[in-house]
Amino acid sequence: MGTVLTAKNLSYAYDGETAVEGLRFEVVSGDYLCIIGENGSGKSTLLKGLLRLKQPSAGELLFEDGLKPNEIGYLPQQTSAQKDFPASCFEVVLSGFCGQRGILPFYTARQKRAARENMERLDCANLSRRGYRDLSGGQQQRILLARALCATKRLLLLDEPMAGLDPLVTQDLYKQIADINRDLGLTIIMVSHDVKTAMQYAKTILHLKKEQLFFGATQTYLESDVGKQFFGGAA
Amino acid sequence: MIADIWTTIVEMLDYTFIQRALVVGLLVSVCASLLGVSLVLKRYAMIGEGLSHVGFGSLAIATALNAAPLQVSIPIVVLAAFLLLRISENGKIKGDAAIAIISSSSLAIGVVVVSQTTGMNTDVCNYLFGSILAMSRSDVYLSVALAIVVLTLFVVFYQKIFAVTFDENFAKATGVKTSFYSMVVAFLTAITITLGMRMMGALLISSLVVFPALSSMRICKKFRSVTICAAIISVLCFVIGVIMSYFYVIPTGASVVLVNIAVFVLFWILRFLSVQSKKRANKKKEVIS
Ligand SMILES: Nc1ncnc2c1ncn2[C@@H]1O[C@H](COP(=O)(O)OP(=O)(O)O)[C@@H](O)[C@H]1O
Ligand SMILES: [Mg+2]
């Protein structure tokens, strides 16, 4: 299995104020990595770094075999600006291909077919013609996940994708993300505050608290002091 | 009655200045409404407002220098557009405050320049509130050429503009050159506003950007229908506004804005009613089940 990315003593800062520092970890192809930690521990900051929306303040982030930005999919935390956006679900999903089209002004028939397939995979093909702003939070996340699948064949990044969703919908989405990891072989990196469920699915854990408290296999984490302490507190 | 109106409209179309105003106005209406959808959704509507004031300042300077108004204004307003965009994107400086500063400074400079050269005469009034007589023949040619550029670029970049408007971070993370497309939108907006400003007036032109987009968002669900519908609303409002201004002898800019307001209120009520009836239908369903 090849390495997808390597962090070497990686740090990020806002205006000289360090948000997270000294990260050393490696993500292998096909991995399912969960980033956990309390609020303000630097999870979203790291994700922004992995998306190359933010430059490291120190250290290096290496993408192996030249992973380009247009090979990364991303499911953001929902912003309020999007909630009342007038767009059909199909338009939103299709826009996942935007980074891959070069200068072509329109989407190809193949991309449209792939967009439909991704919606079917996530059981949201029936929403295709509905307005995005008229959907429930869970449905909206599903549409955004379908869009993320359009954007990538290799690496999928998710930032607290289940925030604010009810437990049933959450379980369902977790299962589907695990399926994507297994069936499509996509590498998954997910920020999660729902530690219990994360343990159930993740292969690897990265625990942050302004620095790296733990990095390793999920099983090892559960048996480690950090894991016992944090999990004990959360459960 | 209808025949009377018809003959008046036909008579109106005989005037060269009205023909010119219609050609330029229709093109500007379409361009402004298309760009407006993206600007409103990105919360950048104030940029349009700021640009029109900068346009007023540059127009005053052009007149003072006895230079061609559009040729002087367009580069200045385009520069201002890039500046305003940078300010709005950069969260540190308060974007709206910066726009307010630039707007009022340009207005002040414009007023001083005008009062020192031609004096505070009807010119100032025309710049601020628009005049249908403003267009020369060469202005019309330039406007048509630029409007074609704006429309072509908009169509070519439509999908990118949608992606960047809907979710800039996602677009950027997945390899879209978002700052380039934001610049394109700002650039096209600057040109559109400068073209429409003298007819609509510096104080009124930004309504052409905002109103059609807001109105069509009330009734359309798809981004593409919002865009197309905004263009149609904008064109209809412009035509009705011009006819009204001819009948009632009111300034064209204000007349067009009034029609836009009426349409917006109408669509707002329509949406309100449809949401209410949906709610009622849902309640009925709940009662039955
Ligand atoms: N845009 C920002 N500007 C300045 N500081 C920020 C910004 N975003 C986050 N921070 C700071 O960086 C730290 C990590 O934040 P974040 O990565 O959002 O944490 P998490 O996602 O784990 O809750 C926090 O101390 C937060 O205050
Ligand atoms: Mg966060």
Side-chain angles (χ1 to χ4, degrees), chain A residues 14 19 38-46 48 160 210:
Chain A
Y14 293 96
E38 288 156 28
N39 274 337
S41 55
K43 304 182 300 285
S44 297
T45 305
L46 172 59
K48 265 185 234 157
E160 305 206 14
K210 302 269 172 195

Side-chain angles (χ1 to χ4, degrees), chain A residues 166-176 194 197 200-201:
Chain A
D166 69 66
L168 233 74
V169 178
T170 304
Q171 284 308 324
D172 210 32
L173 266 174
Y174 266 115
K175 267 203 205 86
Q176 262 158 349
D194 179 2
T197 326
Q200 209 179 319
Y201 291 104

